Amino acid sequence: MTDQENQHLLRRIAEALERLSPDATIASDFAAADAYVWHADRASLEPVADVNRIDLALLVGIDRARDTLLDNTRRFAAGYPANNALLWGARGMGKSSLVKAVHAAVLEESGVKAGGKNGGGPALIEIHREDIGSLPRLLPLLRGADRRFILFCDDLSFDGQDASFKSLKALLEGGIEGRPDNV
């Protein structure tokens, strides 16, 4: 083989290896936004510049849930222990709107303008239901960050033998490593 043929062959081999190798985990800029979407397929967080949310005062008829979630989120943002929250109810009852509105209210109370690129206050991370099994890949990215994170999964439901339930249960109950204090 000539040198040119060898170079061509080596280039083809290198390109094939690149296609086969998994994408490197993309380091996130945790000051890029106050909300992110987790993409499990590429192990990265995508900043959300403009979160689709409404003002907390516009949510009516859910005072008890609002007050409980707001108090819990304030405690978490201040560095105190907080509880995991499960909001349940019929479609259109405002569960997702409440989570996003409470997040914005807590940011505002801490002097952070929602939607800004400042990295202050807790960040909201949306994780899709089908990506729950990837949480063990997300948590190490968040563990060392100098910021608190609220994981938000909209439309959470499970079948009888759903493996995602077991993944979420292990995360909530804690394994050997445990969930980071900032999540």
Side-chain angles (χ1 to χ4, degrees):
M1 284 188 154
T2 67
D3 283 345
Q4 188 175 9
E5 290 172 328
N6 282 338
Q7 285 181 338
H8 177 70
L9 180 61
L10 289 173
R11 187 176 305 114
R12 285 185 50 217
I13 292 170
E15 289 170 356
L17 289 173
E18 285 291 325
R19 286 190 302 271
L20 292 173
S21 66
D23 292 336
T25 299
I26 301 168
S28 296
D29 176 6
F30 295 125
D34 57 285
Y36 300 84
V37 175
W38 168 244
H39 294 285
D41 57 338
R42 56 182 197 251
S44 67
L45 289 167
E46 178 184 353
V48 177
D50 187 24
V51 176
N52 178 23
R53 57 179 148 214
I54 62 174
D55 189 74
L56 190 58
L58 295 176
L59 297 172
V60 296
I62 54 171
D63 298 353
R64 184 172 173 205
R66 178 202 61 213
D67 294 347
T68 302
L69 188 62
L70 185 57
D71 180 55
N72 192 53
T73 306
R74 283 175 176 148
R75 290 182 53 76
F76 178 71
Y80 296 110
N83 294 308
N84 297 310
L86 174 65
L87 302 177
W88 60 274
R91 179 185 295 254
M93 302 266 314
K95 301 174 297 292
S96 298
S97 296
L98 178 60
V99 170
K100 294 181 285 186
V102 162
H103 177 247
V106 169
L107 287 176
E108 187 176 312
E109 289 172 1
S110 64
V112 176
K113 183 181 181 300
K117 181 178 177 175
N118 46 37
L124 185 65
I125 298 176
E126 181 178 8
I127 181 165
H128 298 113
R129 183 223 171 279
E130 60 273 8
D131 293 333
I132 288 175
S134 72
L135 285 172
R137 291 182 16 226
L138 172 60
L139 295 182
L141 295 175
L142 305 177
R143 186 176 302 279
D146 189 26
R147 190 170 190 186
R148 299 183 78 71
F149 300 95
I150 299 168
L151 300 184
F152 166 62
C153 184
D154 195 11
D155 196 24
L156 183 63
S157 61
F158 300 104
D159 296 335
Q161 300 300 319
D162 200 331
S164 298
F165 172 75
K166 291 180 182 175
S167 296
L168 183 59
K169 184 176 180 254
L171 172 76
L172 294 176
E173 291 179 354
I176 190 168
E177 191 173 23
R179 187 177 65 229
D181 291 335
N182 64 334
V183 177

